[in-house]
Amino acid sequence: MVMDDRGGGGSFVAVRRISQGLERSNNNTCHSAEVVAGSAAWLGRGLSCVCAQRRESDTRPSFDLTPAQEECLQRLQNRIDVAYDSSNAEHQEALRALWYAAFPGEELHGLISEQWKEMGWQGKDPSTDFRGGGFISLENLLYFTRKFPKSFQDLLCKQEGNRAMWEYPFAVAGVNISFMLIQMLDLEAVKPRNIVGATFLKFLSENEAAFDLLYCIAFKLMDNQWLTMHASYMDFNTVMKATRRQLENELLQEDITRLEELPSYSLLSQ
């Protein structure tokens, strides 16, 4: 996972758009792209600081939870604790499902294949990118494909707006969004220690899929911020910070009772 890769080895991917489109067998058109390799050290620093920063001290107060909220939080934390295991048949099948949801009709040659770079993974083995996000980051992507397939394809193929010459890698960005939300909502604490996390648990207690739904909203919002800011690859950090601020502001609006009422939810299309 890129956010943990602060050393000097490995590689990252950047996506450079080319004007011609690539017609896939499912009749979705993706911009063809060149995958460019480079040192992992820069990408690890660039993306990790978005997710790993702590904006408050460890002496933050905790918020009391109802028994129902405690139960929902524990179930979500159990999901967060599951690391991606490349030897686990269920995890392997989930990764295959993601490929065929993204590129229906295009045969996958293997769980380790150069094909994965088309989706924006750092290399030919996407399992190495799940280190910081865990299995839940794959579950988030799968939920996105099933709940909002059109928005998923729009983001994957960069079909909306005036795109930058150097675009963010879709899959790596997705894993970073999962990790950013876990940090923003303080989901690894026994009890939430910020008002945003406490507010989110109210939504979670009413909707078991609230984290997955917020993920979809956050991904679409991030891309919208990207376009609004006329961002390019080096601006990913700044865009993620702006996305986090916007999400926090929306979650704290007094008249919001369901995630579907968040202003940014309207960006999604099924």
Side-chain angles (χ1 to χ4, degrees):
M1 170 59 191
V2 293
M3 61 190 67
D4 290 336
D5 193 353
R6 295 182 176 87
S11 62
F12 67 85
V13 293
V15 179
R16 182 162 70 94
R17 287 185 57 235
I18 303 174
S19 58
Q20 293 86 359
L22 172 63
E23 291 290 343
R24 297 196 177 276
S25 56
N26 64 345
N27 294 324
N28 286 327
T29 301
C30 291
H31 292 293
S32 61
E34 290 181 356
V35 177
V36 182
S39 168
W42 180 85
L43 188 67
R45 289 195 300 272
L47 297 190
S48 65
C49 67
V50 178
C51 302
Q53 63 180 337
R54 302 187 72 87
R55 304 200 314 174
E56 300 92 2
S57 71
D58 288 333
T59 60
R60 290 172 290 177
S62 62
F63 291 79
D64 291 331
L65 306 177
T66 67
Q69 289 173 340
E70 287 184 354
E71 184 178 348
C72 289
L73 176 58
Q74 185 60 59
R75 285 198 296 268
L76 180 55
Q77 288 175 332
N78 289 343
R79 291 178 61 196
I80 292 170
D81 288 341
V82 177
Y84 181 85
D85 181 357
S86 59
S87 66
N88 184 307
E90 178 186 353
H91 293 193
Q92 293 174 356
E93 188 56 36
L95 192 55
R96 289 191 189 92
L98 177 63
W99 174 267
Y100 288 111
F103 306 125
E106 182 172 336
E107 182 182 359
L108 177 64
H109 299 152
L111 294 182
I112 298 178
S113 168
E114 294 291 334
Q115 290 174 285
W116 288 107
K117 293 181 181 180
E118 298 179 40
M119 198 183 294
W121 299 104
Q122 293 192 82
K124 62 183 180 180
D125 183 3
S127 68
T128 62
D129 288 329
F130 288 119
R131 289 198 301 269
F135 184 58
I136 195 171
S137 57
L138 175 53
E139 292 180 312
N140 291 155
L141 284 165
L142 280 171
Y143 179 89
F144 201 170
T145 69
R146 294 161 181 165
K147 185 71 174 179
F148 303 101
K150 183 180 184 304
S151 287
F152 179 89
Q153 286 293 332
D154 287 345
L155 293 177
L156 172 65
C157 299
K158 306 293 194 297
Q159 291 180 326
E160 294 184 344
N162 183 20
R163 312 304 308 197
M165 176 62 73
W166 293 93
E167 280 285 329
Y168 62 85
F170 170 80
V172 169
V175 176
N176 274 269
I177 288 171
S178 296
F179 193 85
M180 180 269 286
L181 290 177
I182 292 170
Q183 298 298 305
M184 182 185 84
L185 302 173
D186 202 20
L187 292 176
E188 293 180 307
V190 175
K191 294 181 179 180
R193 294 168 295 179
N194 62 51
I195 188 63
V196 177
T199 300
F200 170 75
L201 289 184
K202 297 177 183 178
F203 299 122
L204 183 65
S205 63
E206 297 175 2
N207 179 2
E208 192 77 12
F211 183 79
D212 302 272
L213 179 56
L214 187 61
Y215 171 88
C216 299
I217 296 170
F219 208 147
K220 189 65 174 176
L221 174 60
M222 185 277 290
D223 189 72
N224 187 69
Q225 296 273 15
W226 179 274
L227 293 173
T228 299
M229 297 167 67
H230 304 288
S232 188
Y233 190 73
M234 295 290 287
D235 303 313
F236 185 83
N237 226 21
T238 302
V239 173
M240 285 287 282
K241 290 178 181 178
T243 301
R244 174 170 174 160
R245 286 194 299 269
Q246 182 64 28
L247 275 180
E248 289 173 332
N249 291 337
E250 292 188 14
L251 284 168
L252 295 179
Q253 291 182 15
E254 292 183 359
D255 57 342
I256 301 297
T257 60
R258 301 164 59 244
L259 290 179
E260 290 86 350
E261 296 172 356
L262 293 176
S264 293
Y265 177 84
S266 63
L267 297 172
L268 289 164
S269 56
Q270 298 181 354

